[in-house]
């Protein structure tokens, strides 16, 4: 089965301004890189959809959702929190982020594709139940996890997050719910400076990465901490919060991942999923150095392709 790629043009309406790191150029550069490396032609391309409100309300309070609609500006830009700008098109883009993610989720669970990548923005993993944060309005991964449980009736869903920043929103929403296992690797101590310590929660595995840590430290954490937890949980679905800001060229964190570390984690996840015939959905989070992000995310997507294709394309993509 093929790999689905889901994106939507409405994200251009979420205009964060030229000085903000989370820009529409990220998706443009990713898609240019996918085309230059020949990966694009191996993907099943889908145009995304807007959200269904019930999906959002599984993860977020109605008061919070209503508030976002109330404060959306007719003109100019407001700050929803200290990091998250909102313009006239931001809410529509955030709704499309959710809808595109759930569309990709439904397709992998209905076996339209073996796996899927949702190239969405704004991202989601910092958005808590009633709070925007860190460029995020709605928590796309948590919304997908809750839809998989409530609508598709799955009982065990793993959410893997390798963004450089802890996905505080995902933990806030899915904490202590035995249907979900959250495996996270992030720079510590670092933004968002929340206190989601592993010992306080029943369904959380944190891999702490010291400032300056490289891909080897990440791999060690994945193999020693994620792998046994994942094996013990035996998920029916894997959702990946795929952030690429741990790259050594990224200005938003202080980790030293290389391009090929993202190919490694993708192939590790796909290998796990393929052995157990487990569907997998990857949802875009961070990644802000445009060149490093484009290369890393393209390699990650190359790793999602069937193995024969992936090895050939990886060589091409790494040029
Ligand atoms: Zn991040």
């Amino acid at each position: 089965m093929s790999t689905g790629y889901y994106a939507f043009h409405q994200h251009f309406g979420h205009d964060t301004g030229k000085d903000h790191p989370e820009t529409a150029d990220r998706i443009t550069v990713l898609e240019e890189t996918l085309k230059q490396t020949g990966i694009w032609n191996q993907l099943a391309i889908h145009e995304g959809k807007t959200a269904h409100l019930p999906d959002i309300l599984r993860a977020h309070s109605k008061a919070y959702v209503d508030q976002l609609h109330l404060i959306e500006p007719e003109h100019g830009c407001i700050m929803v929190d200290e990091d998250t700008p909102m313009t006239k098109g931001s809410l529509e883009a955030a709704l499309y982020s959710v809808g595109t993610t759930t569309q990709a989720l439904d397709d992998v669970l209905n076996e339209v594709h073996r796996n899927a990548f949702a190239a969405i923005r704004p991202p989601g993993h910092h958005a808590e139940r009633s709070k925007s944060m860190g460029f995020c309005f709605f928590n796309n991964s948590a919304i997908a996890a809750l839809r998989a449980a409530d609508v598709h009736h799955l009982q065990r869903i793993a959410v893997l997050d390798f963004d450089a920043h802890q996905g505080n929103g995902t933990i806030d929403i899915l904490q202590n719910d035995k249907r979900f296992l959250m495996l996270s690797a992030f720079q510590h101590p670092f933004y968002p400076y929340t206190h989601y310590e592993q010992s306080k929660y029943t369904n959380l595995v944190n891999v702490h990465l010291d400032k300056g840590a490289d891909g080897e430290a990440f791999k060690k954490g994945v193999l020693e901490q994620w792998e046994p937890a994942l094996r013990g949980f035996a998920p029916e679905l894997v959702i990946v919060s795929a952030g690429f800001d741990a790259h050594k060229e990224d200005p938003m964190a202080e980790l030293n991942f290389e391009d090929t570390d993202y190919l490694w984690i993708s192939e590790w996840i796909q290998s796990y999923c393929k052995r157990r015939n487990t569907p997998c959905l990857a949802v875009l989070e961070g990644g802000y150095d445009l060149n490093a992000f484009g290369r890393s995310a393209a390699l990650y997507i190359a790793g999602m392709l069937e193995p024969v294709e992936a090895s050939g394309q990886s060589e091409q993509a790494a040029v």
Side-chain angles (χ1 to χ4, degrees):
M1 272 195 291
S2 55
T3 294
Y5 175 91
Y6 295 75
F8 56 92
H9 67 273
Q10 288 81 359
H11 79 89
F12 285 105
H14 178 43
D15 182 1
T16 52
K18 65 180 173 54
D19 295 326
H20 197 279
E22 201 291 290
T23 65
D25 289 346
R26 300 171 64 229
I27 306 297
T28 302
V29 168
L30 171 58
E31 295 187 352
E32 284 173 357
T33 309
L34 290 169
K35 288 169 184 169
Q36 286 164 6
T37 51
I39 299 166
W40 183 264
N41 292 335
Q42 299 181 61
L43 299 168
I45 309 296
H46 296 262
E47 181 72 21
K49 298 175 181 171
T50 194
H52 298 292
L53 184 60
D55 286 327
I56 296 176
L57 294 180
R58 283 188 203 97
H60 296 284
S61 68
K62 185 164 187 306
Y64 170 66
V65 178
D66 289 347
Q67 179 73 4
L68 288 177
H69 281 86
L70 279 173
I71 64 173
E72 182 182 35
E74 273 300 314
H75 307 286
C77 181
I78 62 167
M79 296 302 287
V80 185
D81 55 66
E82 62 186 7
D83 298 317
T84 311
M86 181 192 233
T87 59
K88 173 70 179 161
S90 297
L91 196 50
E92 183 183 34
L95 292 168
Y96 266 82
S97 281
V98 171
T100 301
T101 301
T102 55
Q103 177 190 3
L105 170 82
D106 288 355
D107 281 358
V108 295
L109 291 180
N110 292 330
E111 300 186 352
V112 175
H113 301 302
R114 186 168 65 90
N115 52 26
F117 189 94
I120 51 94
R121 60 175 291 276
H125 76 151
H126 292 306
E128 299 188 347
R129 182 166 291 278
S130 297
K131 189 172 157 187
S132 72
M133 215 171 132
F135 318 159
C136 303
F137 294 85
F138 301 128
N139 196 310
N140 306 298
S141 291
I143 288 169
L146 287 161
R147 179 175 170 83
D150 288 358
V151 176
H152 293 276
H153 308 296
L154 301 190
Q155 296 178 342
R156 295 182 313 281
I157 298 149
V159 182
L160 282 52
D161 188 334
F162 55 80
D163 189 278
H165 307 92
Q166 187 184 38
N168 58 290
T170 311
I171 302 167
D172 178 59
I173 294 165
L174 302 181
Q175 60 180 281
N176 297 331
D177 186 329
K178 66 181 181 185
R179 296 175 298 176
F180 310 107
L181 172 68
M182 294 178 283
L183 307 177
S184 192
F186 52 91
Q187 183 175 337
H188 179 78
F190 201 48
Y191 181 90
Y193 300 109
T194 41
H195 300 286
Y196 292 109
E197 296 297 335
Q198 182 171 324
S199 60
K200 296 180 184 170
Y201 301 92
T202 58
N203 61 343
L204 176 62
V205 175
N206 284 338
V207 171
H208 290 173
L209 299 170
D210 295 334
K211 176 180 176 179
D214 62 10
E216 291 308 310
F218 173 55
K219 289 174 190 174
K220 187 170 185 290
V222 167
L223 297 176
E224 292 182 0
Q225 296 180 62
W226 282 17
E227 183 161 46
L230 198 59
R231 211 181 314 118
F233 187 66
E236 299 161 288
L237 167 70
V238 170
I239 295 173
V240 183
S241 268
F244 299 88
D245 45 10
H247 195 284
K248 65 182 181 182
E249 294 168 26
D250 196 286
M252 298 293 286
E254 299 156 318
L255 298 175
N256 284 317
F257 288 21
E258 310 261 358
D259 297 7
T260 49
D261 293 321
Y262 293 102
L263 177 62
W264 180 84
I265 188 60
S266 181
E267 291 183 338
W268 184 83
I269 293 168
Q270 298 317 315
S271 169
Y272 178 90
C273 289
K274 186 155 189 167
R275 281 198 303 277
R276 292 159 181 79
N277 202 25
T278 306
C280 180
L281 167 66
V283 183
L284 180 60
E285 302 287 358
Y288 305 101
D289 178 88
L290 287 177
N291 290 327
F293 165 69
R295 298 192 313 266
S296 301
L299 275 177
Y300 183 88
I301 293 169
M304 297 176 72
L305 300 171
E306 290 289 346
V308 172
E309 296 170 339
S311 62
Q313 287 306 317
S314 301
E315 286 167 24
Q316 273 190 301
V319 169

